[in-house]
Amino acid sequence: MSEQLAKELQLEEENAAFPEVVAVAEGPFITGENIDTSSDLMLAQMLQMEFDREYDAQLRREEKKINGDSKVSISFENYRKVHPYDSDSSEDEVDWQDTRHDPYRADKPTTTPRKGFIGKGKDITTKHDEVVCGRKNTARMENFAPEFQVGDGIGMDLKLSNQVFNALKQHAYSEERRSARLHEKKEHSTAEKAVDPKTRLLLYKMVNAGMLETITGCISTGKESVVFHAYGGNATEDKVIPPECAIKVFKTTLNEFKNRDKYIKDDYRFKDRFSKLNPRKIIRMWAEKEMHNLTRMQNAGIPCPQVVILKKHVLVMSFIGQDQVPAPKLKDVTLSSEDMKKAYYQILNMMQQLYKECNLVHADLSEYNMLWHDGKVWLIDVSQSVEPTHPHGLEFLFRDCKNVSQFFQKGGVAEALNERELFNAVSGLNITADNEVDFQAEIEALEKMNEDHVQNHGKKLSMFSSDGDPPIYDE
């Protein structure tokens, strides 16, 4: 009696709170005979209930349209507004997210005891049974990497043979390793514009520290580096930052410039630190090499970019140009005959200064690495520059002389020396040869003589003396 009394009291409380809800659920939508429409709350509840029912009916129509006769069906049960205990949904629809049934197992799975087999006589079943192994292999596919698509076998008793499963497993591992390699390559190497995550972090730190105000964009791309323009930030006590800066980001891949190691592995300044097995360290040494070479040139008074700071493979220099417009290369500017002659003698003087005062050979000097700004020539890209005592230093100097001589002879400078005369004028070596082949042979002989002297007496004995005389291979 107490349970019946409790139910009656509960029913009276529900009727007092919602007197017409049951009638709305069972009867028509709205009629003036059995519904009290004077309450705004009641009208809102009725409208919301009807809207929810229409929404659920639309979801059921979408389910039926998408599923059709397919054995694999989808359900929008979680998106329905009304969830009555007597839902209109089909009883045979299964929500696989709420069930604990393993779709890859049989309805009545057979357990394998510790002894490894069940049954007797002809009905014996071991753990190596084809059906049992097939089901286990199918279940093991869930352990593959998430990016490896294994398909949807829900509701199917799938059985994979060992051969197929092993092939899929090997393929999944290969794809996982390949994906890891691609991800690592993307993270640890520079892309087309040389801004990988680590480089971006270095640039962000420079901006946050106030060294740079803002980075405007890319102004030049090359085989070894990419150059960005930036506005300088606040100057510090020990460092003067120019109003416009050039940020040279060296590419951390060797794919486009694989022969750069020959410029650095025989340079005594970096010989002990060179490691061909660590490309990232080579790039940092490459950037450090350009910084040291620019510092030598700046101390000698040669027009070149001023070094601001070096951070790993990012070198910040003064910008040669104005208002984000870089100075044109010598190959792109049209000069008068007087300016061309003036530029030639400037370059001749700079090559002699570079050789005798800076003890350097540019090793890549051409009209592509010379800028015309404020009526004079500026030298850039000296990361590959080496000292004359380098095993191939004189060969690099002769190549520079050849490029310079050919450019100015084509530019109409009558006073331009040929490559052999220019080589002797820069180096101070009086090599007399009638043709280019014999000239290069004598250069190689001098390099061999100098290399033997370095190995026997040490590198310092083969350097220049204080008065700028030629090195020991003139003996």
Side-chain angles (χ1 to χ4, degrees):
M1 294 296 292
S2 60
E3 294 180 0
Q4 183 177 0
L5 179 60
K7 290 183 179 179
E8 291 177 359
L9 292 175
Q10 183 180 1
L11 184 59
E12 289 178 2
E13 292 178 359
E14 292 178 354
N15 291 335
F18 305 100
E20 302 294 338
V21 173
V22 179
V24 173
E26 301 295 337
F29 173 46
I30 294 180
T31 61
E33 299 177 357
N34 58 353
I35 299 298
D36 182 11
T37 59
S38 61
S39 173
D40 292 340
L41 176 61
M42 182 59 63
L43 285 175
Q45 290 175 347
M46 293 167 60
L47 290 172
Q48 184 63 44
M49 180 66 72
E50 187 64 24
F51 174 79
D52 292 344
R53 288 183 174 181
E54 291 179 358
Y55 180 78
D56 291 348
Q58 178 65 23
L59 286 182
R60 285 193 291 271
R61 287 193 294 269
E62 290 292 333
E63 286 181 7
K64 186 176 180 181
K65 179 180 178 182
I66 294 175
N67 294 332
D69 298 332
S70 176
K71 294 182 180 180
V72 181
S73 61
I74 64 172
S75 174
F76 296 147
E77 184 68 26
N78 293 339
Y79 301 98
R80 292 178 183 172
K81 300 294 184 181
V82 182
H83 295 274
Y85 67 93
D86 55 348
S87 176
D88 297 335
S89 61
S90 176
E91 294 182 358
D92 55 355
E93 289 186 2
V94 180
D95 186 1
W96 294 109
Q97 296 180 353
D98 299 332
T99 182
R100 296 185 179 180
H101 174 66
D102 189 349
Y104 298 113
R105 293 183 181 177
D107 294 335
K108 295 182 179 181
T110 58
T111 58
T112 304
R114 291 184 178 179
K115 59 185 179 180
F117 65 93
I118 58 174
K120 295 181 180 180
K122 296 181 179 179
D123 298 331
I124 190 172
T125 302
T126 67
K127 62 179 181 180
H128 302 292
D129 183 70
E130 182 178 358
V131 176
V132 176
C133 287
R135 289 170 181 162
K136 287 184 178 180
N137 291 337
T138 305
R140 288 181 188 138
M141 287 197 303
E142 295 180 352
N143 298 328
F144 289 170
E147 60 271 10
F148 187 76
Q149 303 294 332
V150 295
D152 188 1
I154 294 179
M156 304 180 188
D157 187 14
L158 299 179
K159 296 177 283 291
L160 289 180
S161 64
N162 291 337
Q163 182 179 3
V164 174
F165 173 76
N166 291 334
L168 287 175
K169 180 180 177 181
Q170 184 63 35
H171 180 64
Y173 288 165
S174 300
E175 287 295 311
E176 187 176 3
R177 289 195 299 268
R178 186 182 69 87
S179 177
R181 287 196 301 268
L182 292 177
H183 179 74
E184 183 179 3
K185 182 178 180 180
K186 182 179 179 181
E187 290 293 327
H188 294 85
S189 64
T190 51
E192 179 68 21
K193 296 303 179 184
V195 184
D196 58 327
K198 291 187 177 182
T199 304
R200 283 199 299 269
L201 182 60
L202 291 175
L203 298 179
Y204 290 155
K205 288 182 177 180
M206 292 181 183
V207 175
N208 293 335
M211 182 178 301
L212 300 177
E213 180 180 347
T214 180
I215 301 174
T216 58
C218 177
I219 58 176
S220 176
T221 59
K223 58 186 178 181
E224 65 174 17
S225 63
V226 177
V227 182
F228 297 90
H229 175 272
Y231 286 105
N234 301 325
T236 59
E237 296 179 358
D238 56 345
K239 192 176 297 295
V240 178
I241 300 178
E244 289 186 274
C245 298
I247 306 174
K248 188 170 185 178
V249 181
F250 290 84
K251 295 182 179 179
T252 55
T253 57
L254 301 180
N255 296 333
E256 299 182 3
F257 197 27
K258 295 181 179 179
N259 62 339
R260 76 172 83 195
D261 59 338
K262 72 179 182 181
Y263 293 93
I264 195 171
K265 68 179 181 180
D266 294 324
D267 194 325
Y268 78 90
R269 296 174 293 175
F270 305 93
K271 193 171 184 179
D272 296 334
R273 297 165 52 192
F274 178 79
S275 174
K276 197 171 185 179
L277 300 178
N278 195 334
R280 296 191 68 83
K281 286 188 177 180
I282 295 179
I283 304 304
R284 295 181 186 180
M285 292 169 60
W286 195 254
E288 182 183 348
K289 191 166 183 277
E290 176 153 8
M291 180 194 68
H292 290 312
N293 293 339
L294 286 175
T295 304
R296 285 192 187 184
M297 295 168 61
Q298 184 179 351
N299 294 335
I302 298 176
C304 66
Q306 177 185 355
V307 176
V308 178
I309 193 173
L310 171 66
K311 290 291 185 180
K312 295 183 179 180
H313 61 285
V314 178
L315 179 62
V316 181
M317 306 171 290
S318 60
F319 180 70
I320 309 300
Q322 190 175 5
D323 297 333
Q324 303 185 32
V325 180
K329 298 177 182 178
L330 209 58
K331 75 176 186 67
D332 297 327
V333 65
T334 302
L335 300 178
S336 62
S337 58
E338 190 66 25
D339 287 339
M340 184 68 76
K341 182 178 179 181
K342 177 182 176 182
Y344 171 74
Y345 282 106
Q346 286 180 2
I347 294 174
L348 177 60
N349 184 38
M350 284 190 292
M351 291 179 68
Q352 291 176 340
Q353 282 184 290
L354 195 67
Y355 188 87
K356 296 181 180 179
E357 298 181 22
C358 302
N359 194 28
L360 287 175
V361 173
H362 191 284
D364 193 24
L365 187 62
S366 66
E367 61 273 18
Y368 293 88
N369 291 331
M370 295 182 286
L371 304 181
W372 181 259
H373 181 62
D374 289 342
K376 59 182 179 180
V377 180
W378 298 68
L379 293 184
I380 60 173
D381 291 343
V382 293
S383 56
Q384 72 287 329
S385 299
V386 297
E387 295 196 348
T389 54
H390 187 277
H392 303 284
L394 295 182
E395 295 179 27
F396 296 153
L397 176 61
F398 183 74
R399 185 176 62 187
D400 292 347
C401 295
K402 189 173 184 180
N403 293 334
V404 172
S405 178
Q406 290 179 353
F407 173 75
F408 284 100
Q409 285 179 353
K410 291 180 181 179
V413 179
E415 295 85 353
L417 303 175
N418 59 40
E419 57 266 22
R420 286 172 284 176
E421 295 173 344
L422 183 59
F423 179 87
N424 289 331
V426 171
S427 64
L429 301 173
N430 296 321
I431 300 179
T432 57
D434 297 335
N435 53 65
E436 183 176 340
V437 176
D438 295 339
F439 196 90
Q440 290 183 343
E442 291 194 28
I443 290 177
E444 293 177 1
L446 291 175
E447 288 178 339
K448 183 64 171 59
M449 186 188 307
N450 182 67
E451 185 176 0
D452 295 340
H453 187 91
V454 170
Q455 292 178 356
N456 296 330
H457 301 86
K459 58 181 180 297
K460 292 185 178 181
L461 296 178
S462 62
M463 296 178 64
F464 291 108
S465 58
S466 59
D467 57 356
D469 292 334
I472 54 92
Y473 39 67
D474 191 36
E475 64 187 10

